[in-house]
Amino acid sequence: MSQLLLLLLVLAASLAWPASCKPLPVVVPVTKDPVTSLYTIPFYDGANLVVDIAGPLVWSTCQRGHLPAKFACKSDTCKLANAYPVPGCSAAGCGHDPRKDRTCTAYPYNPVTGACAAGSLVHTRFIANTTDGKNPVNQVSVRAVSACGTTKKLMASLPLGASGVAGLAGTALALPAQVTSSQKVARKFLLCLPGGGSYGDGVAIFGGGPLYLLEGQPEFTQSLEYTPLLTKKDSPAYYVTVKYLALDNSRVPLPPRALGTGGVALRTTEPYTTLRTDVYRPFVAAFGKAMAAQWQYARVVKPVAPFGLCYDARTLVNAHSGYMVPSVTLALDGGKKWTMAGVNSMVDVKQGTACLAFVEMKGVKAGDVNAPAVVVGGFQMENFVLQFDLEKKRLGFLRLPFYTPTYRFKSPIKRAWLVPGEVEVATCGPDEEQRATEPEP
């Protein structure tokens, strides 16, 4: 009888708990830099952090207001900060002067250049907004531990105005885990990368969904398809299993176990998908053959680096989903297929020239087990909803329809971490014409 009474009291308390007190996901806009093709989230006073889904840390240049954190070099936090040593960087995690406190030394890492430098761990926080999947709801303060450094080489090749990197890997000191710890939200995040320019901004939602983009339509996370999300012991990056590559419905002839050797990684700091030589060359040859069979008038032109196959754009048919070319499919574990239309497979590189947006890996030999067979880059992730579910270890994905309307964020905060202004516009869809007719808020 007492157990029944207790159950009724718990149920009554849950029903009486205000909905507004329940933890809500945290939302931030995502912007594409037109020069570097990297993606950023707003950080502080106009500065931005580069989005790196393979990054194990959050780091920035040291700012006034950062609170020093004297973690011992043998502390769990210090071990986490140095769990994935960067080639060429020390991984001791301790100060080098024996006369001083043996406090933790972290090593911020530039994912574009490979540069790293010794830095400090600091207590910090950022101000952001929670969301109901449609609009911001409340301002929240997210506590975090980050690394900071002042070496100029760390900033090389990053977008103008960037002050560091937001690591979104599945590690304990990456941003998703720290938002989960601070805000008590689910261990998952949504990412919708934008195409940049007139396409507007994208969005990241830490804590999962929901995500509503179409009036009167079900929210998008209900339509996601899932494939297992993998990690490797020596890497913080996310991996998926790809059974084969296909162009339309035809498999690309690859060497045996080519895709299984090294795996398939996901990285937002690679502008375009890169393929190891033993995968790239058969893939490009098959694409060229399929194009010649389907579109006899498509004219091949001299390649524009770093791409290996380019066409006279005037001889291609353009549509809402990009150029009409053979669709590229990654056949994933679990029987799911990640299919990319022309908007994710062809890129305009100069006036009148469009290239296949896949690049050959440099400095890696065919079949090298120490390198991924494929690294899916940011361009191929754009205009998809991607859910990184770290609890169930799965990747959810959904291609957004071209008519997806603008997603508006309204924030009253003018100067705060991760909240860049009064009105931010974010979109996941490539339909410029519809956005142009959207009424202003």
Side-chain angles (χ1 to χ4, degrees), residues 56-57 73 75-85 104 121 171-174:
L57 291 173
C73 63
S75 68
D76 290 340
T77 301
C78 189
K79 292 177 182 178
L80 291 171
N82 291 280
Y84 296 96
C104 185
L121 290 180
T171 56
L173 293 187

Side-chain angles (χ1 to χ4, degrees), residues 97-177:
D97 190 339
R99 295 171 297 178
K100 296 182 179 180
D101 292 337
R102 302 289 283 173
T103 55
C104 185
T105 298
Y107 292 89
Y109 162 72
N110 183 319
V112 179
T113 65
C116 63
S120 303
L121 290 180
V122 295
H123 288 297
T124 189
R125 70 186 185 97
F126 60 83
I127 306 301
N129 286 309
T130 59
T131 181
D132 58 4
K134 300 177 182 178
N135 295 293
V137 176
N138 295 312
Q139 175 184 332
V140 292
S141 175
V142 179
R143 299 181 303 275
V145 173
S146 65
C148 76
T150 56
T151 307
K152 289 185 177 180
K153 70 177 182 179
L154 282 175
M155 310 310 298
S157 300
L158 297 186
L160 182 66
S163 63
V165 172
L168 304 187
T171 56
L173 293 187
L175 189 56

Side-chain angles (χ1 to χ4, degrees), residues 13 27 29 56 88 97 101 116 129 131 133-134 198 238 248 258 262 288 299 305 347 356 389:
V27 62
D97 190 339
D101 292 337
C116 63
N129 286 309
T131 181
K134 300 177 182 178
S198 60
Y238 299 110
D248 289 337
R299 187 168 69 88
V347 60
L356 180 63
D389 189 335

Side-chain angles (χ1 to χ4, degrees), residues 5-16:
L5 179 60
L6 178 61
L7 179 61
L8 291 174
L9 288 173
V10 171
L11 179 60
S14 65
L15 292 175

Side-chain angles (χ1 to χ4, degrees), residues 170-441:
T171 56
L173 293 187
L175 189 56
Q178 300 213 61
V179 174
T180 293
S181 177
S182 177
Q183 301 307 119
K184 311 305 179 187
V185 294
R187 291 186 62 234
K188 61 179 69 173
F189 66 94
L190 286 175
L191 187 62
C192 188
L193 297 179
S198 60
Y199 292 163
D201 290 347
V203 63
I205 301 180
F206 298 96
L211 177 61
Y212 296 91
L213 294 176
L214 296 174
E215 190 68 30
Q217 296 293 319
E219 67 98 5
F220 278 92
T221 63
Q222 298 300 312
S223 301
L224 294 174
E225 294 189 279
Y226 292 96
T227 190
L229 192 60
L230 310 175
T231 56
K232 291 190 175 184
K233 184 178 179 180
D234 58 348
S235 171
Y238 299 110
Y239 288 79
V240 293
T241 298
V242 176
K243 302 292 187 179
Y244 61 87
L245 302 180
L247 296 172
D248 289 337
N249 295 318
S250 299
R251 292 195 185 194
V252 176
L254 298 176
R257 292 192 49 78
L259 295 173
T261 304
V264 175
L266 308 174
R267 289 192 184 133
T268 49
T269 53
E270 289 285 351
Y272 303 97
T273 293
T274 61
L275 301 94
R276 208 173 50 209
T277 299
D278 52 320
V279 179
Y280 175 81
R281 294 183 181 178
F283 171 74
V284 172
F287 189 92
K289 184 177 179 180
M291 277 289 291
Q294 293 183 24
W295 305 99
Q296 292 86 352
Y297 297 104
R299 187 168 69 88
V300 176
V301 297
K302 183 179 180 180
V304 178
F307 308 106
L309 179 61
C310 298
Y311 293 88
D312 182 342
R314 296 168 297 182
T315 66
L316 303 178
V317 178
N318 209 343
H320 284 299
S321 58
Y323 290 110
M324 298 292 288
V325 297
S327 61
V328 178
T329 295
L330 307 183
L332 302 171
D333 196 11
K336 305 302 180 181
K337 294 183 178 180
W338 184 349
T339 299
M340 305 166 189
V343 69
N344 288 105
S345 63
M346 298 292 294
V347 60
D348 291 309
V349 295
K350 64 180 183 179
Q351 186 67 33
T353 301
C355 296
L356 180 63
F358 293 80
V359 179
E360 185 174 7
M361 285 185 191
K362 303 301 181 184
V364 176
K365 295 181 179 179
D368 188 345
V369 297
N370 296 315
V374 178
V375 175
V376 180
F379 187 77
Q380 278 68 38
M381 299 184 209
E382 290 176 1
N383 307 311
F384 280 87
V385 173
L386 301 176
Q387 183 185 76
F388 294 80
D389 189 335
L390 307 181
E391 294 177 349
K392 297 182 178 180
K393 297 182 179 179
R394 60 181 186 174
L395 173 69
F397 61 97
L398 173 68
R399 171 78 180 125
L400 289 174
F402 69 86
Y403 52 81
T404 302
T406 299
Y407 184 37
R408 279 179 164 79
F409 295 102
K410 300 176 182 178
S411 169
I413 305 168
K414 292 184 179 180
R415 291 168 65 85
W417 293 24
L418 294 182
V419 184
E422 292 184 350
V423 178
E424 282 299 314
V425 179
T427 181
C428 295
D431 188 12
E432 297 179 44
E433 184 175 348
Q434 179 157 346
R435 276 192 297 278
T437 62
E438 284 274 341
E440 290 298 320

